[in-house]
Amino acid sequence: MADLFSSRGLRRWLPWLLLVAAGLILPVLLPPFRLNLLGRFLSLGIVALGIDLIWGFTGMLSLGQGIFFALGGYALGMYLQLDSLEPGQLPEFFSLYGVTTLPGFWQPFNSPLFTFFAIWVIPALVAGVLGYLVFRNRIKGVYFSILTQAALLVFFNFFNGQQKLINGTNGLKTDTARIFGALVGSDAMQRNLFWLTLALVVLSWLLCRWLTSGRFGDALVAIRDDEPRLRFTGYNPTAYKTLVFAVAGAMAGVSGALYTVQSGIISPQFMAVPFSIEMVIWVAVGGRGTLIGAVLGAVVINYAKSLVSEQLPETWLFIQGGLFLLVVTALPDGIVGWWRAGGPGRIQAMVGWPPVAPTYPALDLDPQVLAEQRQLESRPLSAGSASATTPQQPPAGEP
Amino acid sequence: MNVLELREVSVSFDGFLALNDLNLQLAPGELRAVIGPNGAGKTTFLDVITGKVKPTRGDVLFRGRSIVGQSEHRISRLGIGRKFQAPRVFQNLSPRRNLELAIKGDHGPATLLFGSLSASQRDRVQQLLGVVGLEPHAGQPAGGLSHGQKQWLEIAMLLAQDPDLLLVDEPVAGLSDEETDRTAELLKQLAGDHTVLVIEHDMDFIRNLDCPVTVLHEGHVLCEGSMDAVQSDHRVIEVYLGVDDPEVQSVETIA
Ligand SMILES: Nc1ncnc2c1ncn2[C@@H]1O[C@H](COP(=O)(O)OP(=O)(O)O)[C@@H](O)[C@H]1O
Ligand SMILES: [Mg+2]
């Protein structure tokens, strides 16, 4: 704590202080409607984090995360349907289809404890089994993407058709349900859900950081870059891929549950093909392999979407498509990747506005020198050698 | 007992026989060079041993046990390590992290997630970085290394794995003369404790290794023997030069 006020300590703690401040101030500052939107988009950041884990780090582009997202949403939705009933009653929609006894698979969702686990364990299991079968057979790349999309369609059609089991196309409403005696759709409850979402986004980010920073994370990157090579080094990639795919599935489930209670309904639409593709776009725009970019992409794009849709509903699809094209062509590492590579500095230099107090403007802005500096900074101290310090000295013959 | 034995191994790619009735034995601690013109099946031969390609016919025995049909990572864990023809290192990871991935030990997800490297593993990584002269670059992404440095990093990864049998595919392609000599020294040192099989084109390098040579041609062993014997074998001369000219006494010049 001694270094809290030193500049390094500040840089380390500042994001967390800002985060807490945002958590406290935003609920006061924003009208309930906007706060609810922000909470929803933040919850989408969790599914995006999972996609970054499996795609950005491990190289598996899943177009079927909607499956796991919806499974989490349905788990919580079913619990809420049951929880707000008088004893002996059935959820209302059942009477429309002449169902008089609760289907067996609904029973466990009477229990809040079961539901708590079902939200993330069921999606994780489904992802784990699906992933294991696919990875064991060495299906990768485009074939993996196509397969996940096909699985998504299967789930989508199945849920759409099951009126008697889960109300089919209409889905399950949650905003009029009660949780612990309070109305889910009420402002107070929505504020609590915003805080819960914020906390879970941070937790998910920490989990992903832990998974990607050590030797395990190196193995994921190695799978992404050259999977066969890793096999010859004695690794079984199937185990790694199944594990991270299951983790991403669990995160999608949590994301879906949070999104459901903040938008008031869960329906098969959450398993529609375009939605799962949009999830990938959030990560691409925010920055693959950056983690924070996934959250940023999800929040920024969805906020932009809601703002644009309020004004000019027809234009959003074009804007989103254009954004994606821009990223693919101009910013392949997304916004965060561009930022980390010194993008803002380059723009400053381009408009002839040098950064604060460069000692030798021509030298300090030289891309070559900047690249060398970055290399030096990234080099661990233990590996330092005498030659490591020389490039930092200015050339002798300074004009 | 032989460390490695190939018995009448054939590999067919849609009818084309990349390996044709190949027989080969390696004794423990042996250093062996395999040469042969392009397309002779040298790389395919390594693919068969390491489990990348299944033989159409025949059997591959490692320490007396058949390894045909086992997956690559299992064969690797048995103690067979491989260096690829084009250097294949993990470009986005630093040399240190490349070595930390390759280092001998359990390679399961739980160990990588919850365990940490032991002191001896760390020391070994540091030592290997020194051996191949990559200490100054230990922290930068390996993608920025020169071709020669990548070759050496991959050799270091192979050493980090500490396999009993080392399969080395064209290790000196693109290396300077000095680096080539050092590589030959390194491989000679390794033989004895390890069994080493080297595939190369560079005749000076092979001569430097001073070991038995197997010549591969059209997926088949053409002849075996010392470098001198092999170079003056008329079948080898014919295969390499496409002539059976009695004037040509040796393939010394073709490298
Ligand atoms: N996967 C494959 N499919 C079809 N043909 C292959 C395959 N791999 C190798 N070959 C063929 O087998 C022959 C031997 O190849 P290779 O083992 O790479 O030779 P070398 O390493 O001796 O140059 C070549 O003619 C090559 O074209
Ligand atoms: Mg080859």
Side-chain angles (χ1 to χ4, degrees):
Chain A
M1 288 305 279
D3 69 347
L4 182 58
F5 297 103
S6 72
S7 85
R8 263 190 78 189
L10 201 65
R11 250 174 60 186
R12 191 151 167 201
W13 290 103
L14 195 63
W16 298 103
L17 290 175
L18 285 176
L19 199 71
V20 171
L24 293 175
I25 294 169
L26 286 175
V28 184
L29 213 61
L30 292 177
F33 169 70
R34 293 277 166 213
L35 186 71
N36 167 257
L37 277 186
L38 184 59
R40 274 158 67 174
F41 303 153
L42 269 174
S43 68
L44 295 176
I46 300 178
V47 68
L49 272 170
I51 292 175
D52 200 17
L53 185 66
I54 56 173
W55 182 39
F57 285 88
T58 325
M60 310 184 284
L61 175 56
S62 167
L63 299 178
Q65 292 308 97
I67 298 172
F68 317 117
F69 185 88
L71 285 176
Y74 268 103
L76 186 55
M78 285 162 70
Y79 168 76
L80 289 174
Q81 290 271 327
L82 295 178
D83 191 47
S84 21
L85 294 176
E86 304 296 324
Q89 274 188 328
L90 285 189
E92 226 176 73
F93 72 88
F94 279 127
S95 62
L96 299 176
Y97 312 112
V99 179
T100 50
T101 50
L102 197 62
F105 75 96
W106 275 74
Q107 296 291 355
F109 289 95
N110 276 307
S111 150
L113 189 68
F114 176 86
T115 306
F116 170 80
F117 286 104
I119 285 170
W120 55 279
V121 173
I122 291 178
L125 282 177
V126 173
V129 170
L130 185 74
Y132 177 70
L133 294 175
V134 172
F135 303 138
R136 196 192 52 174
N137 291 307
R138 306 201 176 180
I139 296 168
K140 348 185 246 191
V142 180
Y143 299 99
F144 172 75
S145 303
I146 292 171
L147 225 142
T148 49
Q149 188 165 85
L152 180 72
L153 273 169
V154 169
F155 272 84
F156 176 71
N157 288 325
F158 177 79
F159 275 69
N160 253 333
Q162 299 303 318
Q163 274 91 355
K164 292 188 175 182
L165 293 179
I166 33 119
N167 203 17
T169 326
N170 303 320
L172 309 174
K173 280 176 87 74
T174 61
D175 54 355
T176 50
R178 293 180 168 274
I179 187 164
F180 305 127
L183 201 63
V184 171
S186 69
D187 287 353
M189 182 56 81
Q190 289 297 318
R191 195 166 55 232
N192 291 338
L193 286 170
F194 170 77
W195 280 324
L196 179 66
T197 305
L198 197 61
L200 284 171
V201 168
V202 172
L203 265 179
S204 307
W205 179 80
L206 286 171
L207 173 71
C208 287
R209 233 184 99 90
W210 177 62
L211 288 171
T212 54
S213 53
R215 227 159 45 110
F216 184 86
D218 290 349
L220 298 185
V221 170
I223 289 172
R224 178 192 70 194
D225 292 350
D226 194 346
E227 183 176 341
R229 178 71 181 86
L230 198 65
R231 288 182 195 274
F232 293 112
T233 320
Y235 285 80
N236 181 8
T238 307
Y240 286 84
K241 292 164 91 173
T242 305
L243 186 68
V244 288
F245 196 54
V247 169
M251 286 169 60
V254 171
S255 172
L258 288 170
Y259 189 79
T260 296
V261 282
Q262 291 177 90
S263 53
I265 189 165
I266 169 77
S267 83
Q269 278 312 310
F270 289 15
M271 287 189 267
V273 167
F275 187 48
S276 286
I277 293 176
E278 276 174 34
M279 294 176 186
V280 171
I281 295 180
W282 308 332
V283 179
V285 171
R288 254 185 308 165
T290 63
L291 295 183
I292 195 66
V295 181
L296 223 71
V299 172
V300 169
I301 294 188
N302 280 291
Y303 230 111
K305 178 183 182 173
S306 77
L307 289 180
V308 172
S309 303
E310 282 164 28
Q311 311 295 327
L312 310 152
E314 289 86 26
T315 54
W316 172 248
L317 278 180
F318 295 98
I319 294 178
Q320 179 174 263
L323 206 60
F324 186 61
L325 282 179
L326 178 78
V327 165
V328 167
T329 51
L331 307 174
D333 297 321
I335 295 167
V336 172
W338 170 78
W339 178 277
R340 286 188 186 165
R346 253 179 287 142
I347 287 204
Q348 274 188 359
M350 240 190 306
V351 296
W353 174 34
V356 193
T359 324
Y360 304 102
L363 188 69
D364 289 0
L365 295 177
D366 188 81
Q368 176 88 37
V369 174
L370 290 175
E372 277 171 5
Q373 261 172 14
R374 269 200 304 281
Q375 275 179 7
L376 287 168
E377 279 163 14
S378 66
R379 186 177 300 170
L381 287 174
S382 59
S385 66
S387 68
T389 51
T390 41
Q392 273 175 330
Q393 289 157 6
E398 192 59 40
Chain B
M1 185 175 43
N2 289 318
V3 169
L4 183 74
E5 185 169 347
L6 273 76
R7 286 186 187 156
E8 294 166 9
V9 171
S10 296
V11 170
S12 159
F13 292 120
D14 301 321
F16 170 77
L17 283 176
L19 294 184
N20 185 6
D21 233 359
L22 186 77
N23 286 291
L24 188 126
Q25 281 124 35
L26 282 184
E30 188 179 344
L31 174 61
R32 174 77 63 93
V34 173
I35 62 172
N38 264 328
K42 303 181 297 295
T43 299
T44 308
F45 161 65
L46 296 194
D47 286 345
V48 162
I49 302 170
T50 52
K52 188 180 173 200
V53 167
K54 252 196 194 162
T56 316
R57 264 197 323 278
D59 206 358
V60 181
L61 306 174
F62 180 62
R63 293 205 212 100
R65 287 238 196 93
S66 174
I67 52 171
V68 169
Q70 298 210 32
S71 55
E72 298 95 316
H73 67 272
R74 281 189 199 282
I75 291 176
S76 164
R77 287 176 194 174
L78 287 176
I80 300 180
R82 173 174 187 178
K83 187 215 158 292
F84 286 83
Q85 185 168 342
R88 269 166 87 172
V89 298
F90 299 113
Q91 314 259 354
N92 284 303
L93 303 175
S94 66
R96 182 184 303 281
R97 292 185 154 215
N98 268 281
L99 292 176
E100 285 176 355
L101 272 186
I103 193 90
K104 189 176 192 167
D106 182 40
H107 285 170
T111 304
L112 264 76
L113 208 45
F114 300 108
S116 53
L117 290 168
S118 69
S120 64
Q121 284 175 317
R122 264 178 222 288
D123 290 348
R124 180 73 179 141
V125 166
Q126 192 62 43
Q127 184 200 354
L128 284 170
L129 284 170
V131 168
V132 295
L134 287 175
E135 267 168 329
H137 313 282
Q140 301 158 226
L145 297 175
S146 72
H147 178 78
Q149 286 170 327
K150 284 182 195 165
Q151 289 275 37
W152 275 54
L153 174 57
E154 205 185 0
I155 291 174
M157 287 168 74
L158 190 58
L159 298 180
Q161 267 179 271
D162 192 25
D164 296 336
L165 173 62
L166 286 83
L167 307 170
V168 192
D169 201 350
E170 306 204 10
V172 297
L175 293 194
S176 70
D177 288 352
E178 193 205 327
E179 289 168 329
T180 301
D181 291 346
R182 282 184 61 193
T183 307
E185 283 313 308
L186 187 68
L187 292 174
K188 277 197 276 190
Q189 270 174 33
L190 287 169
D193 290 340
H194 307 77
T195 310
V196 185
L197 189 146
V198 188
I199 288 175
E200 241 323 320
H201 274 306
D202 187 329
M203 294 295 172
D204 288 333
F205 174 76
I206 302 273
R207 181 170 292 285
N208 206 340
L209 286 180
D210 189 25
C211 69
V213 178
T214 299
V215 185
L216 226 59
H217 176 54
E218 292 179 351
H220 197 77
V221 174
L222 194 66
C223 70
E224 266 176 5
S226 72
M227 188 64 188
D228 287 326
V230 160
Q231 273 186 321
S232 46
D233 188 301
H234 70 93
R235 287 170 303 177
V236 178
I237 297 171
E238 187 184 342
V239 162
Y240 266 92
L241 300 180
V243 290
D244 195 2
D245 187 346
E247 293 283 291
V248 183
Q249 293 300 313
S250 143
V251 287
E252 184 82 66
T253 47
I254 61 166

